[in-house]
Amino acid sequence: LYFGHFDAAAHAAGLEPLRLVRSRPGEREVRLWTQVEIGVPKELYRFVAGPGTVGGELILHWPIGHGGERRGGNLMVDDMMRQSLEGVCDGFARSDDAGICRARFRRDPPWSEVLRAVEAAGLWTIPDPSALPDDSVRMLDGWTIVAEMRDGPRYRTWRYNSPAAHPRWPSAAQVRELAKALDAIGSLVSPSTSKRVYRGVTTGMRGSAFHACDGAGTWEFDGELRALASSAPAARRARFPREVGDSSPSGAARRPGTAA
């Protein structure tokens, strides 16, 4: 289900599928593919380790598709991705089925430290869910991570979809810890030069009005600040207006115009 697109993205990036790579003894490579299922771009965190050295790269990728009108429509998506990722990436390229670019960083990421952290979280021993007792949880989309690891002749892979939705699997908590370590890389990606940031006032509810501070009109607010507030650090939540972060019933009245 996943490796068809992963292979296309690897080809666009000038890489072989990792399962086909023949590493020398003492060399290992890790590829962590992460994605919001219905979102683009998707991410490949790639680590390459040799004797005394660890390097890496973050490759952003998106599907293009092939054939007829579908190909034309998805090439338009490729053009949109290239525009929205200006400043974020270098080295835009595409194959018949995928577009990619390589992330640009504000400073060098700590590749060695992050690799140690993901390995300490159980990277090489985490079981694939196919080997675990069925917990009757079924997800249709959500967030997915697929890990590929090669150490000389040894290769293995595992996949977790929405690990937070599987509390009965201890390994799902390991996957969440592993994924958290990747923030040390993602947080260093350079900002887009093609996007604009607007400040305004909204209640924070999906579909509510957003009034721009510069008086340029009213837009629809297509977000959900309460959901973001629930996952924010406690120190940050303490600074949120009550209407955004409180636990009132969904039908409770809220004062309009809450700053956010």
Side-chain angles (χ1 to χ4, degrees):
L1 180 63
Y2 289 92
F3 277 91
H5 176 66
F6 293 169
D7 289 354
H11 177 65
L15 302 172
E16 272 193 284
L18 188 56
R19 63 188 180 278
L20 303 180
V21 171
R22 292 294 176 260
S23 299
R24 290 176 294 184
E27 294 181 341
R28 65 190 193 279
E29 181 172 341
V30 173
R31 298 182 187 179
L32 299 174
W33 305 81
T34 71
Q35 62 187 58
V36 176
E37 290 292 348
I38 60 174
V40 290
K42 305 173 190 301
E43 303 88 16
L44 164 58
Y45 295 84
R46 178 173 177 252
F47 302 83
V48 180
T53 64
V54 177
E57 60 182 341
L58 170 56
I59 298 173
L60 307 183
H61 59 99
W62 49 92
I64 292 178
H66 58 277
E69 294 180 1
R70 180 183 173 202
R71 176 174 172 80
N74 281 323
L75 286 178
M76 184 180 296
V77 172
D78 184 60
D79 290 339
M80 293 173 63
M81 293 305 304
R82 289 169 179 254
Q83 179 181 2
S84 67
L85 293 172
E86 287 180 5
V88 175
C89 279
D90 294 311
F92 286 89
R94 67 188 178 209
S95 61
D96 287 342
D97 298 302
I100 69 100
C101 66
R102 286 177 160 87
R104 180 188 301 174
F105 299 99
R106 293 181 282 109
R107 62 177 184 272
D108 290 341
W111 297 106
S112 181
E113 293 176 21
V114 174
L115 181 58
R116 282 198 301 270
V118 299
E119 289 184 325
L123 173 70
W124 292 88
T125 57
I126 287 173
D128 186 80
S130 62
L132 298 175
D134 184 4
D135 66 354
S136 301
V137 176
R138 302 289 181 268
M139 302 292 294
L140 296 178
D141 45 51
W143 175 83
T144 296
I145 179 169
V146 177
E148 291 187 276
M149 301 81 74
R150 175 167 290 285
D151 185 355
R154 177 189 178 199
Y155 170 86
R156 73 178 300 254
T157 183
W158 48 255
R159 173 191 61 85
Y160 280 73
N161 173 257
S162 301
H166 299 276
R168 292 171 58 187
W169 294 343
S171 55
Q174 290 178 272
V175 172
R176 294 172 65 189
E177 189 67 22
L178 182 154
K180 189 186 303 182
L182 300 178
D183 289 344
I185 296 171
S187 64
L188 295 176
V189 174
S190 297
S192 170
T193 57
S194 64
K195 294 181 180 179
R196 294 183 60 188
V197 176
Y198 295 87
R199 298 183 182 276
V201 178
T202 175
T203 63
M205 298 173 63
R206 182 177 296 277
S208 60
F210 176 89
H211 303 275
C213 291
D214 61 6
T218 300
W219 310 331
E220 179 178 308
F221 180 74
D222 188 20
E224 178 52 74
L225 292 185
R226 176 170 293 185
L228 292 175
S230 66
S231 59
R236 186 175 301 172
R237 288 200 307 270
R239 298 197 300 269
F240 288 164
R242 178 172 172 77
E243 289 81 357
V244 172
D246 69 10
S247 57
S248 305
S250 57
R254 294 180 177 81
R255 176 171 53 84
T258 300

